[in-house]
């Protein structure tokens, strides 16, 4: 496959990925109106297990299922529970556009963590981009201070930190473990961890909720597959910017489902975060081309 063909294939996969995860997040927001955040996290993991299990067997991964790096898988499972519960809690009070704008800080945080965990070097230009991105988050959280003390905003920000830690741990795991094993054990460990914590306040699932749960399972599963596909064939620097199309999905879904639109602070903050992210990606691409012409 040529470089151009690989990039185009990965861009299409990323667009599908963003669409699927946007549907998943919409479904989680709808479910959060009926169930506690931890129960939504539990339902997310439990509903995905049949699909993930079938995919594991289709890929023949059951033969080496236990040959994994358990400490890192356990870490990702615990972080995954916290991330989903916090993000779901944030969706109770925030629109999808607001939540996405704050969550966009995740890729920038991954760069920061890569310095300390993966030993990557970050020069002055990268730190400037990281600082600008952080400032964009503060704008979304409201420069007046009212939004900054919003529990929903802080919950999504903490979920973004969890996402960054999980992503870096995933990079380390990918050196030795198969992708289907990472997907399978993440869902299993999240189900095992979140369900007992949700049990004391468990709200019975009504018949009208099963369609939402099915949507949650299918969109989450295919979103994860598309994400894996996106970074398997194309260059990360080409594919990553298309993650920001989530904001367009968030605005569209907010308007169609709840008749709300983002305010000027959300749009300004999102523009700052996206701009810093695109600059960081462009800088990395130029730097890599200079080192390996």
């Amino acid at each position: 496959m040529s470089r151009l063909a690989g990039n185009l294939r990965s861009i299409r996969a990323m667009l599908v990925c963003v669409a699927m995860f946007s549907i998943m997040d919409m479904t989680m927001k709808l479910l959060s109106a009926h169930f506690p955040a931890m129960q939504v996290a539990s339902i997310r993991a439990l509903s995905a297990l049949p699909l993930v299990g079938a995919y594991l067997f289709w890929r023949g991964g059951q033969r080496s299922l236990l040959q994994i790096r358990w400490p890192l898988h356990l870490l990702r499972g615990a972080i995954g529970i916290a991330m989903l519960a916090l993000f779901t809690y944030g969706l109770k009070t925030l629109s999808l556009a607001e939540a996405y704008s704050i969550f966009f800080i995740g890729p920038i945080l991954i760069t920061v963590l890569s310095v300390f965990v993966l030993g990557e070097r970050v020069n002055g230009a990268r730190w400037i981009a990281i600082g600008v991105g952080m400032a964009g988050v503060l704008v979304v959280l409201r420069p007046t201070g009212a939004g900054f003390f919003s529990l929903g905003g802080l919950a999504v920000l903490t979920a973004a930190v969890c996402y960054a830690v999980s992503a870096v741990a995933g990079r380390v795991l990918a050196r030795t473990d198969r992708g289907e094993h990472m997907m399978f054990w993440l869902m299993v460990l999240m189900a095992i961890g979140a369900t007992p914590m949700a049990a004391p306040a468990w709200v019975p699932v009504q018949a009208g909720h099963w369609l939402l749960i099915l949507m949650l399972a299918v969109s989450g599963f295919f979103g994860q597959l598309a994400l894996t596909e996106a970074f398997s064939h194309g260059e990360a620097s080409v594919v990553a910017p298309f993650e920001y199309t989530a904001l367009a999905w968030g605005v569209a879904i907010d308007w169609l489902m709840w008749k709300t639109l983002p305010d000027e602070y959300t749009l300004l903050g999102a523009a700052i975060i996206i701009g810093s992210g695109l600059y960081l990606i462009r800088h990395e691409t130029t730097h890599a081309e200079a080192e390996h012409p």
Side-chain angles (χ1 to χ4, degrees), residues 1-12 229-230 232-235 239:
M1 182 182 298
S2 68
R3 179 178 176 182
L4 176 60
N7 284 338
L8 290 175
R9 177 175 175 176
S10 291
I11 288 170
R12 288 192 293 267
E229 173 77 8
S232 296
H233 301 285
E235 298 167 284
V239 177

Side-chain angles (χ1 to χ4, degrees), residues 67-69 72-73 76 110 113-121 166-182:
Q67 298 171 14
I68 59 172
R69 298 173 68 178
L72 282 177
H73 280 278
R76 291 187 78 226
I110 291 172
L113 288 175
S114 296
V115 176
F116 303 101
V117 179
L118 303 177
E120 297 180 0
R121 290 187 175 184
S166 180
V168 172
R171 285 186 184 180
V172 177
L173 267 178
R175 297 170 181 171
T176 56
D177 291 19
R178 296 173 58 165
E180 55 267 26
H181 290 166
M182 293 168 63

Side-chain angles (χ1 to χ4, degrees), residues 14-196:
M14 178 55 74
L15 292 174
V16 172
C17 166
V18 171
M20 290 293 101
F21 280 146
S22 297
I23 293 172
M24 183 188 78
D25 293 337
M26 175 196 72
T27 309
M28 288 172 60
K29 183 174 176 64
L30 291 170
L31 289 172
S32 70
H34 304 282
F35 304 106
M38 189 58 70
Q39 183 173 345
V40 174
S42 171
I43 291 172
R44 160 75 179 102
L46 290 170
S47 64
L49 278 178
L51 290 173
V52 174
Y55 177 70
L56 175 76
F57 275 86
W58 179 67
R59 296 277 296 178
Q62 72 278 8
R63 290 187 291 271
S64 55
L65 187 58
L66 299 178
Q67 298 171 14
I68 59 172
R69 298 173 68 178
W70 283 104
L72 282 177
H73 280 278
L74 291 170
L75 174 64
R76 291 187 78 226
I79 292 172
I81 294 169
M83 179 180 69
L84 271 181
L86 288 165
F87 192 77
T88 303
Y89 179 83
L91 288 178
K92 286 188 174 184
T93 56
L94 300 177
S95 67
L96 283 178
E98 289 172 325
Y100 284 163
S101 297
I102 298 170
F103 203 79
F104 282 156
I105 198 66
I108 298 174
L109 293 176
I110 291 172
T111 302
V112 176
L113 288 175
S114 296
V115 176
F116 303 101
V117 179
L118 303 177
E120 297 180 0
R121 290 187 175 184
V122 176
N123 58 25
R126 296 181 192 175
W127 285 119
I128 291 173
I130 290 166
V132 171
M134 297 291 187
V137 170
L138 293 179
V139 173
V140 177
L141 289 172
R142 301 296 181 270
T144 60
F148 185 80
F149 292 101
S150 160
L151 290 178
L154 291 177
V156 173
L157 182 58
T158 308
V161 175
C162 292
Y163 164 73
V165 175
S166 180
V168 172
R171 285 186 184 180
V172 177
L173 267 178
R175 297 170 181 171
T176 56
D177 291 19
R178 296 173 58 165
E180 55 267 26
H181 290 166
M182 293 168 63
M183 286 180 61
F184 177 80
W185 283 115
L186 180 61
M187 290 298 108
V188 169
L189 292 170
M190 284 172 55
I192 292 174
T195 304

